[in-house]
Amino acid sequence: MPRKSTVQQISPEAREELDKMVRDGRATIDQIRDRLLELEGEEAPSRSAIGRYVKSAQEQMEKYRQAQEIARTWVGKLEEEPDGDVGRLLSEMLRTVAFSTMGQMGENEKEADPKDISYLARTIKDLASADKISADRELRIRQETASRAADKAVKVAKKGGLSSEAVQEIRKEILGVA
């Protein structure tokens, strides 16, 4: 296992200052190093360690920005058609993220936080509940559509002069009633 980065070994106050300077994006690596030298003295990380940390942080911020933009696009499409393919796709994506996160929890050297496990369990439960609600809604819509079709067929059959028994048999067939 590789050793911890020297950036991760600095004091929480220095780390907070470092993160603030990285987020602001205005400081150079040398300026960050000078500030950390003020806070940490000779225990401050090297210029190259700071450079690696800044690069990694910027990559993470870019991924986060892209994820926000993608989420905005998907939410827009979801609002247009909540029961469509996008809604089902988002549900599956969330489920995949939850299971992937649970898998990564076991790979880390530190133990998983019970709060995180509880949150993921609740997320999966909520996804299952949303899937059931969606399936129930779809079933109800299909039943209403079949009922309307059966009513229309009955009207047409009665106009055509079919017997009451034949009309009821048609209705049962359309509705799938035994």
Side-chain angles (χ1 to χ4, degrees):
M1 179 167 84
R3 68 185 175 101
K4 243 183 176 178
S5 165
T6 53
V7 173
Q8 292 177 332
Q9 296 174 7
I10 62 177
S11 68
E13 297 81 25
R15 180 75 177 269
E16 191 174 313
E17 183 72 18
L18 168 63
D19 289 340
K20 181 180 178 293
M21 293 175 85
V22 170
R23 274 192 312 273
D24 290 346
R26 292 183 226 155
T28 65
I29 292 174
D30 288 327
Q31 291 170 330
I32 294 171
R33 168 104 166 110
D34 292 343
R35 179 66 180 134
L36 290 178
L37 280 170
E38 290 174 20
L39 296 171
E40 295 289 303
E42 290 303 313
E43 299 296 314
S46 67
R47 187 179 188 285
S48 59
I50 294 169
R52 286 189 300 272
Y53 182 82
V54 168
K55 181 180 177 191
S56 174
Q58 288 172 339
E59 288 171 356
Q60 291 293 347
M61 287 187 291
E62 178 60 21
K63 285 179 186 177
Y64 180 71
R65 188 194 62 72
Q66 288 174 354
Q68 282 184 315
E69 191 159 321
I70 290 169
R72 244 190 314 278
T73 301
W74 285 110
V75 166
K77 290 184 181 216
L78 181 62
E79 287 174 351
E80 292 171 12
E81 190 180 348
D83 292 331
D85 292 337
V86 173
R88 287 189 289 277
L89 175 65
L90 284 176
S91 177
E92 286 304 312
M93 287 171 64
L94 284 172
R95 186 174 284 106
T96 300
V97 168
F99 283 114
S100 173
T101 302
M102 285 178 17
Q104 290 173 357
M105 283 180 172
E107 294 172 4
N108 295 337
E109 60 264 6
K110 64 180 183 178
E111 289 186 26
D113 184 359
K115 288 180 185 177
D116 291 339
I117 294 171
S118 172
Y119 180 72
L120 283 169
R122 194 171 339 119
T123 299
I124 292 169
K125 178 183 171 244
D126 290 347
L127 284 170
S129 176
D131 286 348
K132 179 166 179 4
I133 289 169
S134 180
D136 289 348
R137 181 183 315 125
E138 192 170 323
L139 179 62
R140 191 174 61 248
I141 289 170
R142 286 181 184 191
Q143 287 171 340
E144 288 174 11
T145 303
S147 179
R148 286 189 200 126
D151 291 344
K152 197 170 208 173
V154 166
K155 285 180 186 176
V156 170
K158 283 183 180 178
K159 281 183 183 176
L162 287 178
S163 68
S164 294
E165 295 83 26
V167 169
Q168 288 308 315
E169 191 61 35
I170 291 171
R171 182 172 177 65
K172 286 178 184 179
E173 277 295 318
I174 292 173
L175 295 175
V177 178

